[in-house]
Amino acid sequence: MPPRLRLSSAGRISQSFRRQRLLCQYEISVSSRCASTAATATTPAPSVEQMTTSPPPISRHSPTQPPSHRNPEYRRSQLLRQYTSLIRTTPLMVFLQHNNLQSVEWAGIRRELSQAMQKVDEKIASEGRDLPPLAPHIKVQIIQTSIFEVALRIVEYFRPDQGALAAGQPPRAVDPVTQTSAELPPVSGSRDDPTLTHDLSRAAHDAVQHMKGKHELSTLLVGPLAVLSIPQVSPEHMKAALTVLAPKAAGFPQPTRRANPGWHELPVQNGLKKLDLLAARVDGNVFDVDQTKWVGSIEGGMDGLRSQLVTALQSMGSGITSALEGAGKSLYLTLESRRSVLEEEQKGPEEKNES
């Protein structure tokens, strides 16, 4: 058993604790009195203007975050910003419908897609073409269709008044149909301020609100969708991606088991059966499945398309030149024959007999 303390010693200890507590309380009260007297002695009295004028309102927004129609802290707002940035920076997008793919299936599909894109980059580098590698930036991701549709309308239809910006005036939203400025109450520092034209602003929301459901892709943005994003218009990368994701729908040959055994694994095949090719967006234009196939079937990529364009222009020029030359030659022959006929008519009977 632990040793017991005597009552006399315990009483002495409790008395010492009480004394220390009282002493601390006294010191705290004295220090607070001194501080209050010092503050009253150093703080000047408020002026008449400070007493008559009302204090400025306390800003509810962070100085680094402008007022927004949509709360920037919500996940929907962050997705809207992400989608608008994706649409502005991605000229080539392919839309796919997915039906309850599992995480293992998505992992296998993304693995095969990454390998296919790396092979295309290696092929371009081996040909000596000076193009940046695109494989690290090509991704397939699931999107929220309702938020993506709003992002499409903001990117396509929302145009701030560039004339007002050039004249030094505060920018205002321009209606995409009537091409007129949206008149909003000039409440500075609030979410109704017309000078705010970012993607989450009230001006952007009001300018595209009446265009809901009128975009070309609005009919496709229904149900579970995934987007393949390519940062450049590269038909070679698009063909390789469609060969992995939807070879039957795109009409491209399937990868062989010897060349790509991972593509024939069971999780990958089960996932590919749940993917359907819908459409594509190339440089702001909506392409259907047949037009998407045509973009992927361009040989040599954009360089091959440019060479085909140059060849077509050269053949067109040579055809125009030959047509003009033929018309000139025929006109010359016609005039020469007519001249000879006129000369025969002007000769007299003696000249005709001599001839």
Side-chain angles (χ1 to χ4, degrees):
M1 295 179 61
R4 296 181 180 179
L5 297 177
R6 297 180 181 179
L7 296 176
S8 59
S9 61
R12 292 174 183 176
I13 292 173
S14 61
Q15 289 178 1
S16 62
F17 283 155
R18 291 173 185 172
R19 291 176 183 176
Q20 291 179 1
R21 186 177 64 182
L22 293 174
L23 182 61
C24 291
Q25 291 178 356
Y26 176 75
E27 291 178 354
I28 291 172
S29 62
V30 171
S31 61
S32 62
R33 290 177 184 176
C34 294
S36 62
T37 54
T40 55
T42 56
T43 304
S47 61
V48 179
E49 296 179 355
Q50 294 178 355
M51 296 176 64
T52 54
T53 59
S54 60
I58 300 176
S59 178
R60 297 179 299 173
H61 307 279
S62 173
T64 58
Q65 173 62 47
S68 305
H69 173 69
R70 306 173 187 270
N71 193 341
E73 297 178 358
Y74 291 165
R75 182 174 178 270
R76 295 175 61 87
S77 302
Q78 297 299 327
L79 285 177
L80 180 61
R81 283 180 169 178
Q82 178 184 351
Y83 292 158
T84 53
S85 176
L86 178 68
I87 295 170
R88 289 190 179 101
T89 58
T90 306
L92 181 56
M93 305 174 69
V94 180
F95 296 90
L96 303 164
Q97 185 178 7
H98 66 92
N99 298 314
N100 299 325
L101 270 77
Q102 300 179 1
S103 59
V104 180
E105 298 169 350
W106 272 120
I109 291 173
R110 290 190 173 100
R111 181 197 64 212
E112 297 302 321
L113 178 65
S114 177
Q115 293 178 0
M117 298 299 101
Q118 290 177 2
K119 290 180 181 178
V120 175
D121 289 340
E122 293 174 358
K123 179 182 177 182
I124 293 175
S126 63
E127 294 176 356
R129 296 159 58 186
D130 188 11
L131 294 176
L134 301 180
H137 310 288
I138 298 175
K139 298 179 181 179
V140 56
Q141 58 181 337
I142 300 173
I143 60 172
Q144 298 288 339
T145 54
S146 59
I147 306 176
F148 194 87
E149 195 269 339
V150 177
L152 269 176
R153 284 189 279 131
I154 291 177
V155 174
E156 294 287 346
Y157 303 128
F158 179 58
R159 297 290 184 273
D161 191 357
Q162 300 297 331
L165 291 174
Q169 300 176 0
R172 295 199 174 194
V174 175
D175 189 275
V177 178
T178 61
Q179 296 297 323
T180 57
S181 297
E183 297 294 337
L184 296 176
V187 182
S188 178
S190 66
R191 64 180 186 177
D192 296 332
D193 190 357
T195 60
L196 301 174
T197 56
H198 54 88
D199 293 339
L200 301 181
S201 62
R202 173 64 66 85
H205 175 269
D206 293 344
V208 301
Q209 180 66 24
H210 64 285
M211 299 297 294
K212 184 177 181 180
K214 297 182 180 180
H215 195 272
E216 294 178 332
L217 287 173
S218 298
T219 56
L220 299 178
L221 297 177
V222 178
L225 291 184
V227 172
L228 171 68
S229 57
I230 303 177
Q232 289 184 6
V233 181
S234 176
E236 296 172 324
H237 288 84
M238 184 176 180
K239 179 180 179 180
L242 293 179
T243 303
V244 173
L245 299 176
K248 293 183 180 180
F252 299 133
Q254 299 180 2
T256 60
R257 187 179 295 272
R258 178 178 296 180
N260 195 352
W263 187 82
H264 294 272
E265 294 180 356
L266 185 60
V268 178
Q269 290 298 315
N270 292 336
L272 293 177
K273 292 178 183 178
K274 303 174 184 178
L275 285 178
D276 294 326
L277 178 63
L278 296 180
R281 183 177 181 270
V282 184
D283 281 338
N285 300 319
V286 180
F287 285 11
D288 57 6
V289 178
D290 295 334
Q291 293 173 339
T292 305
K293 295 178 184 178
W294 173 79
V295 174
S297 62
I298 297 175
E299 297 294 337
M302 295 301 296
D303 295 335
L305 184 61
R306 294 188 186 97
S307 63
Q308 293 178 11
L309 179 61
V310 171
T311 304
L313 292 176
Q314 289 178 352
S315 62
M316 186 183 299
S318 62
I320 293 174
T321 303
S322 60
L324 293 176
E325 288 180 355
K329 289 179 180 179
S330 62
L331 180 61
Y332 173 76
L333 294 175
T334 303
L335 293 177
E336 284 294 327
S337 62
R338 183 61 179 169
R339 184 175 65 82
S340 61
V341 170
L342 292 176
E343 289 179 353
E344 290 291 336
E345 291 178 356
Q346 291 178 359
K347 289 180 180 181
E350 297 180 354
E351 293 180 355
K352 288 182 180 180
N353 293 330
E354 290 178 357
S355 61

